[in-house]
Amino acid sequence: MDMTFGMVVHIAGGGFSLIAGATALIRRKGSEAHKQAGKLFVLSMVMMTLSGAWIAWQESVMVSTLAGLMSFYLLISGWFAIKTKANNIRRDATLLIVLGLSVLVFGLGTVEDALNGNVDHIGSFVVPVAIYATFTAFVALGVIGDAVLIVKPNMARNYILSRHIWRMCIPLYIAATSFFEGQADVFPEAMRHALLLSLPGYAVFLAMLYWLLLPSFRKVKIKAQQWRSRTS
């Protein structure tokens, strides 16, 4: 396969996004290292998602086109979740809804085509309808979350942080699984059928759950301390 400019951009963006994303996940949230890694992650993921969607569209691989567009939407909306100023929340949420609805319409179209038997074949793998539906569902969930901010722009900080975390982690999860599992043939044969290539994706997913649940763990810890202080 000839290496086009779009493929170079896609591969470079994917490589940088994995490094930056992993760094952002393990660094303390709000630290300077986390912020700088986050900026590099967003930039590299924009490169990867848009170039990947464009390449997939040209090759008529709709599931990969949808994955790229979905990841781009989640990425941008996740970034805006912590960057939007209080007086601009409704405006930015409206713009994100327009972007999200555009991707959602495309996703629903791919689901309809898949239900009618028009599914992608990636090598010997026949893409099931559930994958199209799952990607589209993530977009729908994101649009609903954006709509909440129009109705209630003064949501609690935990909601804003949760919105940021899962929208950043889903694209990172897709990038990790696409690189390690999707490109298994570039790894030594002994690794291809082992759990090892699945570990990066699992690590991203578990890290996402950890950061999403951490505020609840802290609340439980505080309540436990308060209860012990009252009973001591």
Side-chain angles (χ1 to χ4, degrees):
M1 179 182 295
D2 295 332
M3 186 66 69
T4 64
F5 175 74
M7 292 178 63
V8 172
V9 172
H10 182 67
I11 294 170
F16 281 116
S17 68
L18 290 174
I19 297 171
T23 303
L25 271 179
I26 63 177
R27 290 292 187 173
R28 181 175 59 83
K29 301 300 173 279
S31 67
E32 189 61 27
H34 173 77
K35 292 178 182 178
Q36 295 303 320
K39 291 178 182 178
L40 178 58
F41 173 69
V42 171
L43 177 61
S44 56
M45 281 294 292
V46 167
M47 292 169 53
M48 189 194 80
T49 55
L50 291 183
S51 61
W54 174 248
I55 293 170
W57 174 261
Q58 289 183 313
E59 297 179 356
S60 298
V61 183
M62 293 299 103
V63 69
S64 297
T65 305
L66 175 59
L69 294 176
M70 176 207 70
S71 297
F72 175 73
Y73 161 65
L74 292 180
L75 180 78
I76 296 301
S77 59
W79 177 257
F80 271 89
I82 57 170
K83 290 299 180 180
T84 298
K85 295 181 179 179
N87 57 334
N88 293 332
I89 287 179
R90 281 198 171 101
R91 183 202 65 186
D92 291 348
T94 301
L95 294 175
L96 291 173
I97 287 176
V98 172
L99 173 62
L101 286 176
S102 300
V103 180
L104 182 60
V105 169
F106 179 81
L108 291 173
T110 64
V111 172
E112 182 181 9
D113 287 343
L115 289 172
N116 291 327
N118 298 319
V119 295
D120 294 299
H121 294 72
I122 303 177
S124 59
F125 177 68
V126 180
V127 180
V129 178
I131 292 183
Y132 300 90
T134 299
F135 289 163
T136 303
F138 278 129
V139 178
L141 184 62
V143 171
I144 293 172
D146 294 337
V148 168
L149 289 179
I150 294 179
V151 179
K152 296 181 178 181
N154 299 318
M155 290 296 292
R157 177 172 172 77
N158 284 345
Y159 177 83
I160 301 299
L161 290 177
S162 296
R163 183 169 175 254
H164 170 70
I165 290 168
W166 80 265
R167 292 172 192 242
M168 290 295 189
C169 286
I170 294 299
L172 179 59
Y173 172 82
I174 292 177
T177 54
S178 297
F179 178 78
F180 289 99
E181 297 183 54
Q183 305 297 324
D185 56 331
V186 305
F187 292 94
E189 188 173 355
M191 298 174 60
R192 297 178 190 175
H193 305 293
L195 181 64
L196 191 60
L197 294 182
S198 300
L199 288 179
Y202 291 143
V204 172
F205 186 76
L206 291 175
M208 178 183 71
L209 291 180
Y210 169 78
W211 290 113
L212 286 175
L213 295 175
L214 184 60
S216 297
F217 292 152
R218 286 175 174 169
K219 286 182 180 180
V220 171
K221 182 179 179 180
I222 292 173
K223 289 182 178 180
Q225 292 174 341
Q226 292 174 342
W227 181 81
R228 284 197 298 268
S229 65
R230 288 197 300 266
T231 56
S232 60

